[in-house]
Amino acid sequence: MHAGSLRTRLLVAALGLVTVALVVAGLAIGLILHRFVRGQIDGRLDAQITALRAGVEAGALPGALDAPPFDRPGSGWAWEVRRGTVLARSASLDGGGIVAPDPPDDEPGRPRPAEGRGPRGEPLILRVLDLPGDPPTTILAAAPRAALRGPLREALTSLALALGILGLCLVGGVLVQVRLGLGPLKRLGADLAAVRAGRRARVPAEQPAEIAPVVAELNALLDQNARNLERARGHVANLAHALKTPLATLAMVLSEPGRDPGGDLRAAVGAMDRRVRHHLRRARAAALAGSAQARTPLEPRLADLRDALAKLHADRGVRIDLAVPADLAAACEAQDLDEMLGNLLDNACRWCRGAVRVSVERAEDGVRVRVEDDGPGLDPEAAAAVMARGRRLDEGVPGHGFGLPITLELAELYGGSLRLGRSELGGLCAALSLPA
């Protein structure tokens, strides 16, 4: 877990509060248990004092009040009656005496707590009753301090075990609570990743109330970016039609014999065309920057193009075979993908003898579309030549010579490539690589 993560902060805060709560609860319960056990001992000693007082007021020495445990020597449970000198003491003192503090100057007649020592110096818990008279009478009842510590130790041991189990349960509950509480944020991250990968257009609006405003702002931002992208693409397309086509036409006219004897105009037009294409490429790349949400399935696009071109070349009996997995998609805008695939398929249909084959496979860097035909094909020098704008190898075939260069330019814009080679059918094989 990252030190600055929400999960860490929540866990540290919750564990700290649980620890403080358990410590406070342990101290409070321990104090209550101490008061309870001490109250039980004081009640037993007060009962003994009451019996001794009754005997003293009746004028009889209370020697017969040595009930267990006051009758066992060394037990710590003892009593003593004093009136100037010791009148009587329990058999447990074995002839010794109780060392008690001097009486306070408060009102006599009620037992009071005190601390004392036994005959062997052992610590005792005392209850002392001072009766007025001449001389005054003092009745002491004692219990060993172990009578308080022993039950408390056993009770606190059980309490500590119970609090430990409770703490573990609370920690487990905190872990579950943090996991459940941060679950929507984790799902939000997955939804954003899906939007970035193109599997979703927007983040689902069904969110907890706390993050619903954030999701609404994210969706508004996505919608705004999509609108800006569409406007930018429209401007770029308009500029491309306004500049590129006239320049290409001018270059073709100047290439005719006698039009530009020195070649200066053709060089200038070529430089202008390169600069226009360079800046258009930069503008289009800027429009597409950050638009990783483009994801266009290949199978339906190729199926539509096959149907359209099959009708267009029906008089020649061209057969177009497709081998396209339904789950493959390219990270391209639909319009650009249609233009690239359309150029390649149309070129194959124009030059084939009757068969065109389109296959799509997954590659390490994306997807690869192979368009093959059974036409005459091209040698390496001719394949390089047809990539030049406006260059046509056969003027008898309809066209302007821009299809393959435009396809190459679009493919490179998306980080892909276009390679020409020999097909297994005997003709040309155009391999178009695109990001997935």
Side-chain angles (χ1 to χ4, degrees), residues 53-101:
R53 179 179 182 178
V56 170
E57 291 177 347
L61 293 178
L65 296 177
D66 278 341
F70 294 95
D71 59 344
R72 294 195 302 269
S75 65
W77 293 89
W79 56 266
E80 193 174 274
V81 179
R82 301 175 182 174
R83 184 181 294 164
T85 60
V86 176
L87 295 180
R89 58 169 57 99
S90 64
S92 60
L93 291 174
D94 198 17
I98 298 175
V99 179

Side-chain angles (χ1 to χ4, degrees), residues 316-321 348-349 351-358 372-375 423 425 427-428:
R316 299 177 52 220
V318 175
R319 186 183 76 256
I320 303 175
D321 297 326
C349 290
W351 290 94
C352 74
R353 293 186 175 93
V356 175
R357 183 173 66 190
V358 181
E372 304 174 77
D373 62 68
D374 60 350
S423 167
L425 301 179
L428 182 67

Side-chain angles (χ1 to χ4, degrees), residues 176-404:
V176 173
Q177 183 181 14
V178 170
R179 183 180 181 87
L180 292 177
L182 296 181
L185 293 179
K186 187 175 181 180
R187 289 193 296 272
L188 178 59
D191 291 336
L192 287 174
V195 171
R196 186 174 182 274
R199 295 189 296 272
R200 288 179 178 272
R202 304 172 84 251
V203 179
E206 295 76 16
Q207 302 288 344
E210 290 77 10
I211 63 175
V214 178
V215 172
E217 291 296 329
L218 284 174
N219 285 331
L221 180 61
L222 291 173
D223 294 339
Q224 181 180 357
N225 287 341
R227 290 192 296 269
N228 292 340
L229 174 63
E230 191 62 30
R231 285 196 295 268
R233 286 178 55 81
H235 294 324
V236 171
N238 293 335
L239 185 60
H241 284 293
L243 295 178
K244 292 168 64 177
T245 303
L247 285 175
T249 304
L250 181 60
M252 292 177 61
V253 171
L254 291 176
S255 64
E256 297 177 1
R259 291 283 186 175
D260 183 21
D264 296 336
L265 292 177
R266 280 181 294 171
V269 170
M272 292 172 61
D273 181 64
R274 287 192 299 272
R275 290 188 180 182
V276 168
R277 286 191 288 112
H278 169 72
H279 289 291
L280 286 177
R281 187 181 297 110
R282 289 186 60 187
R284 191 164 188 174
L288 293 173
S291 177
Q293 65 182 15
R295 181 179 185 273
T296 306
L298 290 165
E299 194 272 336
R301 295 292 179 182
L302 286 170
D304 292 343
L305 289 172
R306 176 193 60 186
D307 296 341
L309 290 173
K311 295 178 181 178
L312 184 63
H313 298 277
D315 57 334
R316 299 177 52 220
V318 175
R319 186 183 76 256
I320 303 175
D321 297 326
L322 297 183
V324 186
D327 61 334
L328 289 186
C332 302
E333 295 291 335
Q335 303 93 320
D336 293 336
L337 185 63
D338 287 344
E339 186 170 359
M340 289 185 284
L341 297 177
N343 287 335
L344 295 180
L345 279 171
D346 183 60
N347 185 74
C349 290
R350 290 177 186 276
W351 290 94
C352 74
R353 293 186 175 93
V356 175
R357 183 173 66 190
V358 181
S359 59
V360 181
E361 59 184 2
R362 192 183 305 275
E364 293 183 0
D365 54 349
V367 294
R368 183 174 292 112
V369 182
R370 296 169 60 89
V371 180
E372 304 174 77
D373 62 68
D374 60 350
L378 296 174
D379 56 35
E381 292 78 10
V386 296
M387 289 297 188
R389 288 175 172 269
R391 179 69 183 274
R392 300 170 58 201
L393 301 181
D394 189 350
E395 299 293 337
V397 178
H400 300 284
F402 293 108
L404 292 178

